[in-house]
Amino acid sequence: MTATFSQFRQRATTAIEDARLQEALDRGTGNFRKMRDQAVSEVPHFEELRDHFKAIRSATLAQLADHLETFERNAISAGAHVHWARDGAEACQIVIELAREHGASVATKSKSMATEEIHLNEALAEAGVEAVETDLGEWILQLAQEMPSHIIAPAIHKTKGQVAELFSEQAGRPLPEDDIPALTAEARRILRERFLEAGIGISGGNIAVAETGSVVLVTNEGNGRLVTSAPPVHVAVIGIEKVTPTWDEAAVWLSLLARSAAGQPLSIYTSVITGPARAEDADGPEEVHIVLLDNGRSGAFADAQLRQT
């Protein structure tokens, strides 16, 4: 979704004048700041740790090709399939072909900014595959036919009254806006059915650990684990910048990520996926496919300022 400058000005003016939107944003961002300040205060020398991690990332990007090749080799050894995508169109086509190969008409999705970046949902829809967002915020926005407005809390601009209206329409009966547990229970009931229907599960990836070929997912909802274990095929779409050489570097990354993102010492679910399910595993996918996405990243790394980003 794109907008001209005049369209942006018009939308911004409308949003600024929307009292309910301002209320939702003020409450959400205020809570984030308080939680982050508290989480950061619990870590001695937090800024020094950030500087240390910045040095780790700079060194990793300087040898990115080597680390990616190591990741690919170890992921394949663990039983995963690795695909390389030069751009968004190529990444979408890889996922579409996998869905067709396995006869999947429904795909459940965990929250993924990489798939938002490449407009994967729209590409799947055009190919006849229904993509169902299962992160609560992302599902709210899918029902509202809106784009995410925040990298951590995609539906931060929605009030509970607006959410109740959307869920009531889905449930076919009125739901009380003041009963948050009832709203989440209804979302859980509806989405559980979609997990069982899905022939393919799609996620992003917060970290790709080269030494073991593992994908690390950091989430606060159990949907991420259902997406990556209930369907027979799991596809992870990951930007190539997410690679890190070893678990030592990944540990530093994880110690900073949740604190800076959501004000938590560690996210509720930190999942490590290393290949498909083994014979002795109680559950898990039969196949794991990892799509390593460039989509302009290689060019950005060559620019000193963009590399900082």
Side-chain angles (χ1 to χ4, degrees):
M1 182 183 295
T2 58
T4 64
F5 179 70
S6 60
Q7 288 173 329
F8 172 77
R9 289 288 296 271
Q10 181 180 8
R11 293 175 186 175
T13 300
T14 301
I16 290 169
E17 294 174 351
D18 186 335
R20 288 209 300 181
L21 174 61
Q22 297 305 316
E23 175 192 353
L25 290 175
D26 287 345
R27 182 171 59 253
T29 55
N31 288 340
F32 269 135
R33 169 54 64 181
K34 291 176 184 177
M35 292 168 63
R36 182 185 185 278
D37 289 345
Q38 176 61 35
V40 166
S41 70
E42 297 168 356
V43 181
H45 313 297
F46 183 80
E47 291 303 324
E48 289 86 344
L49 185 61
R50 291 183 69 196
D51 289 339
H52 173 56
F53 183 58
K54 180 180 178 181
I56 289 173
R57 296 296 295 142
S58 295
T60 301
L61 292 178
Q63 301 293 326
L64 182 61
D66 292 340
H67 296 311
L68 287 170
E69 289 175 2
T70 300
F71 174 82
E72 178 187 36
R73 182 169 60 252
N74 290 328
I76 291 172
S77 294
H81 303 267
V82 179
H83 310 261
W84 299 82
R86 288 166 292 187
D87 54 29
E90 192 167 337
C92 288
Q93 192 57 40
I94 290 168
V95 180
I96 288 169
E97 290 301 326
L98 288 170
R100 286 173 175 164
E101 179 183 335
H102 293 86
S105 59
V106 176
T108 47
K109 291 182 72 251
S110 181
K111 184 176 181 295
S112 164
M113 297 311 296
T115 61
E116 290 285 351
E117 172 188 332
I118 64 176
H119 306 290
L120 179 60
N121 287 9
E122 293 86 343
L124 286 170
E126 290 178 6
V129 180
E130 181 188 5
V132 181
E133 296 290 352
T134 64
D135 172 88
L136 185 58
E138 293 281 357
W139 188 56
I140 289 168
L141 295 184
Q142 188 172 44
L143 296 179
Q145 298 182 336
E146 296 178 11
M147 300 289 286
S149 63
H150 191 282
I151 192 170
I152 303 299
I156 194 172
H157 60 288
K158 290 293 188 185
T159 65
K160 59 185 178 182
Q162 292 171 312
V163 172
E165 291 174 8
L166 291 167
F167 284 13
S168 295
E169 184 177 346
Q170 285 294 304
R173 66 182 191 279
L175 297 171
E177 68 175 71
D178 291 326
D179 192 343
I180 303 300
L183 292 174
T184 54
E186 189 61 30
R188 187 179 297 114
R189 182 189 68 80
I190 295 172
L191 289 174
R192 282 286 171 89
E193 296 175 1
R194 309 317 306 272
F195 285 120
L196 297 176
E197 292 178 82
I200 188 170
I202 302 170
S203 74
N206 293 88
I207 308 173
V209 185
E211 74 170 331
T212 56
S214 303
V215 174
V216 182
L217 293 176
V218 177
T219 66
N220 277 323
E221 299 176 22
N223 70 303
R225 290 189 174 176
L226 283 167
V227 162
T228 59
S229 62
V233 180
H234 168 215
V235 181
V237 181
I238 307 174
I240 57 174
E241 81 284 3
K242 297 293 187 180
V243 72
T244 200
T246 72
W247 278 103
D248 288 339
E249 290 87 355
V252 179
W253 198 330
L254 288 170
S255 70
L256 292 168
L257 193 157
R259 286 184 168 88
S260 290
Q264 300 166 288
L266 193 68
S267 291
I268 295 172
Y269 298 95
T270 301
S271 306
V272 179
I273 298 163
T274 309
R278 278 66 170 174
E280 64 273 17
D281 291 338
D283 53 26
E286 300 167 10
E287 295 183 17
V288 170
H289 294 261
I290 302 167
V291 181
L292 294 173
L293 175 68
D294 189 320
N295 205 33
R297 286 163 171 79
S298 294
F301 298 151
D303 182 297
Q305 295 301 316
L306 291 177
R307 194 183 312 121
Q308 291 287 325
T309 303

